[in-house]
Amino acid sequence: MRIDVVTIFPEYLEPLNVSLVGKARARGVLDVRLHELREHTSDVHRTVDDSPYGGGPGMVMKPEPWAAALDRVVGSAGPQDGLVPTLVVPTPSGRPFTQQLAQDLAERPWLAFAPARYEGIDRRVIEAAAERMPVVEVSIGDYVLAGGEVAVLVIVEAVARLLPGVLGNAESHQDDSFAPGRMTDLLEGPVYTKPAEWQGRAVPEVLLSGNHGKIARWRREQAFARTLAVRPDLVRRWERSAMDKHDLRA
Ligand SMILES: Nc1cc(-c2cccs2)n[nH]1
């Protein structure tokens, strides 16, 4: 997968050089390219934003630099990249970023990210881009960041770990919470490792029993209890899908 990021804060994306994504880049599984938006300005002050038409607080990102930057990205398509990237635009007003959306993005050969400062990018940039490539506006949660770079880190990590060869077998994502197709879309329950007793707290006996049937049942019960406590909405969704699956609706 190729990933391009256009940003005025390339240093914000340094984390893409370390750990899981860093290793995937070193192994050639991911090809990540950063583009400094200000290199696509044409004034001496390298201006990227201006005050909003219609008034209001803050600044809006000007269309010309973005259009030039995206032209450069699309124009640099290599034979293995696919014709155009999918443009991912982090924004509080986007569609919720979910494991399903991460899965969907992980199946695409080329993603380009357009993190903006909070007040956003001139709408005409998104409209023009949508005439030549798929555009997905994505929210990583109902809260407001100062800029989209942090959202890019979240999305890239969630997508990269789904790519073949990125996670070792030991860290499979098959049993993730929210992994589509997972037997139950429930949250993970508690996990334990050595020592068997720590500060007077013992590991649940069942996990030391070696009885895999009992362990699996205990883990399902724990996942269900945790989901009921923390995310009852997911339990209702799980019940609905179970009813549908077994055609149990009255
Ligand atoms: N979910 C979410 C995205 C954002 C921003 C994206 C770009 C600027 S602020 N805030 N919250």
Side-chain angles (χ1 to χ4, degrees):
M1 176 186 280
R2 176 176 165 178
I3 292 179
D4 289 79
V5 187
V6 178
T7 176
I8 57 173
F9 293 127
E11 63 275 23
Y12 234 116
L13 298 162
E14 281 298 307
L16 296 182
N17 295 317
V18 300
S19 184
L20 176 117
V21 175
K23 290 193 183 74
R25 292 175 74 178
R27 296 216 311 272
V29 174
L30 267 180
D31 166 12
V32 177
R33 307 183 195 190
L34 302 187
H35 308 267
E36 166 60 85
L37 182 64
R38 292 191 194 281
E39 282 172 19
H40 299 277
T41 56
S42 46
D43 64 308
V44 68
H45 299 296
R46 295 165 44 109
T47 311
V48 292
D49 57 7
D50 202 335
S51 51
Y53 273 123
M59 301 286 270
V60 172
M61 300 193 94
K62 294 170 59 64
E64 302 96 327
W66 275 103
L70 292 176
D71 279 350
R72 170 77 64 79
V73 168
V74 175
S76 66
Q80 76 286 8
D81 295 327
L83 287 178
V84 289
T86 293
L87 183 65
V88 180
V89 184
T91 168
S93 57
R95 71 189 261 205
F97 185 59
T98 61
Q99 191 65 18
Q100 182 60 55
L101 181 50
Q103 202 84 38
D104 172 349
L105 295 177
E107 288 158 15
R108 297 167 188 239
W110 186 9
L111 302 179
F113 288 86
R117 303 321 297 158
Y118 168 57
E119 290 73 11
I121 301 174
D122 186 299
R123 191 69 203 161
R124 292 168 290 182
V125 172
I126 310 300
E127 289 170 1
E131 288 173 3
R132 57 198 288 221
M133 70 192 89
V135 176
V136 183
E137 296 182 83
V138 177
S139 165
I140 61 165
D142 292 337
Y143 42 82
V144 179
L145 301 167
E149 282 76 8
V150 168
V152 171
L153 293 176
V154 166
I155 296 166
V156 168
E157 176 156 326
V159 169
R161 67 185 289 279
L162 297 175
L163 298 178
V166 172
L167 284 184
N169 292 334
E171 310 145 297
S172 163
H173 55 79
Q174 298 305 329
D175 280 348
D176 283 352
S177 290
F178 308 104
R182 177 181 151 76
M183 188 183 67
T184 61
D185 290 329
L186 298 174
L187 303 177
E188 269 111 14
V191 289
Y192 302 85
T193 188
K194 300 184 190 64
E197 168 134 356
W198 175 70
Q199 291 189 352
R201 299 171 190 275
V203 169
E205 273 301 315
V206 65
L207 296 179
L208 310 177
S209 69
N211 180 328
H212 299 295
K214 274 181 71 178
I215 291 169
R217 188 164 52 252
W218 182 85
R219 283 178 166 160
R220 279 197 300 275
E221 288 163 358
Q222 292 295 314
F224 196 86
R226 177 148 182 86
T227 310
L228 203 55
V230 175
R231 289 289 305 275
D233 59 302
L234 290 179
V235 171
R236 282 193 291 280
R237 184 172 74 174
W238 175 74
E239 284 168 340
R240 281 198 301 277
S241 69
M243 301 280 269
D244 290 346
K245 189 170 160 187
H246 302 295
D247 196 19
L248 299 175
R249 283 193 184 280

